[in-house]
Amino acid sequence: MMEVSIWFALAAGALSFFSPCVFPLLPAYVSHLTGGQARDGHMKVERSVVLLRSFGFIAGFSLIFILMGASASFLGEMFSEYRIYIEQIAGILIIVFGLQMMGWLSFSFLLKDTRSFKTKKKGTAWGSILLGMAFASGWSPCVGLTLSSILLLASASSTLTQGVLLLIVYSIGLAVPFLLISLMITKTFTVMKTINRILPGLSKINGALMIILGFLCLVGRCSKSALIFPFLVSFQHRGRV
């Protein structure tokens, strides 16, 4: 199950960033992290400040995500004798989340968002870490659905280490585009305007991936699907030799 889950976690992290309820707010995040302002078609702030504060933000949300993954894995280990049932339940829920992402289902209780920006103070290094932790704790609806799927996979993983690894990979998938595009908008907002046009399509791709993975987990074929990723499988086998 891990071979396909790792790739899904990486893709899910990236697609979470490019969700319609996270990506458009990137200038607001950067502004609150750095104290910069949108002006003359770009975010007016030093790139070194953006880089430093972005790393703090990434560290903050990664810490919370990893703790969530560890907790989910710990609970999964406690009920290891029921792992096959946990995996099937996880598969069903992941399919539901995927259908929600694609707009084929609409459950309002899955669309709660506790994230907000109230402070107008200039960001600080420690404040960027706290903002990252707040983002992870009160995630937006789109991230919540995808993250919940990763946590379900973590609860169905074989060991605590595997569960934590899934959330580390998910955090990397979310962190890399956040960092790169945060730096880009200090030069121009053009990249954001371009990506905004394809956000609905990316959301559907995210939902489709969730449905596929959910089905594989439901029928107990996650491990067989590792054949889709021969590079990763061969790499893992070499590491065991």
Side-chain angles (χ1 to χ4, degrees):
M1 179 175 170
M2 277 301 294
E3 289 88 352
V4 66
S5 298
I6 287 175
W7 285 99
F8 173 77
L10 185 64
L15 289 170
S16 292
F17 172 75
F18 289 110
S19 63
C21 44
V22 173
F23 180 76
L25 294 178
L26 181 62
Y29 279 113
V30 174
S31 177
H32 280 264
L33 287 171
T34 65
Q37 296 181 347
R39 187 184 306 166
D40 301 325
H42 69 281
M43 183 63 64
K44 194 171 182 61
V45 62
E46 292 292 331
R47 301 188 79 184
S48 59
V49 176
V50 174
L51 187 65
L52 177 62
R53 303 291 167 76
S54 293
F55 275 123
F57 183 78
I58 291 167
F61 71 66
S62 296
L63 175 62
I64 299 299
F65 288 158
I66 291 169
L67 289 175
M68 288 179 178
S71 300
S73 298
F74 177 74
L75 290 174
E77 285 189 340
M78 287 181 61
F79 300 97
S80 58
E81 59 184 303
Y82 304 107
R83 190 173 305 282
I84 185 173
Y85 302 110
I86 293 175
E87 187 172 337
Q88 290 175 342
I89 293 172
I92 293 172
L93 292 175
I94 291 172
I95 290 173
V96 171
F97 294 160
L99 293 171
Q100 178 90 10
M101 286 289 293
M102 295 190 73
W104 293 353
L105 292 178
S106 182
F107 295 116
S108 59
F109 65 91
L110 294 176
L111 298 176
K112 294 181 179 179
D113 185 2
T114 60
R115 173 176 43 80
S116 63
F117 295 114
K118 294 183 179 179
T119 178
K120 295 184 178 179
K121 295 180 180 179
K122 184 177 181 179
T124 64
W126 285 108
S128 63
I129 297 176
L130 293 176
L131 183 59
M133 295 173 69
F135 167 79
S137 301
W139 59 75
S140 68
C142 295
V143 174
L145 291 173
T146 309
L147 178 60
S148 296
S149 299
I150 303 299
L151 292 174
L152 287 168
L153 289 178
S155 68
S157 59
S158 301
T159 66
L160 178 64
T161 301
Q162 289 181 350
V164 170
L165 177 61
L166 286 177
L167 272 299
I168 291 175
V169 173
Y170 175 82
S171 298
I172 292 172
L174 182 60
V176 172
F178 176 87
L179 181 61
L180 292 177
I181 297 182
S182 293
L183 292 173
M184 289 180 185
I185 64 174
T186 62
K187 295 296 184 182
T188 177
F189 283 129
T190 301
V191 63
M192 289 204 64
K193 294 177 181 178
T194 301
I195 295 175
N196 270 326
R197 299 191 189 103
I198 62 173
L199 287 185
L202 291 175
S203 181
K204 292 186 181 299
I205 291 174
N206 196 359
L209 288 175
M210 292 167 68
I211 291 171
I212 292 170
L213 183 64
F215 177 76
L216 291 172
C217 292
L218 179 61
V219 300
R221 303 289 290 182
C222 273
S223 59
K224 299 295 182 182
S225 64
L227 295 173
I228 301 172
F229 309 105
F231 171 77
L232 180 60
V233 175
S234 62
F235 176 80
Q236 289 182 335
H237 284 317
R238 288 199 299 271
R240 292 171 186 155
V241 176

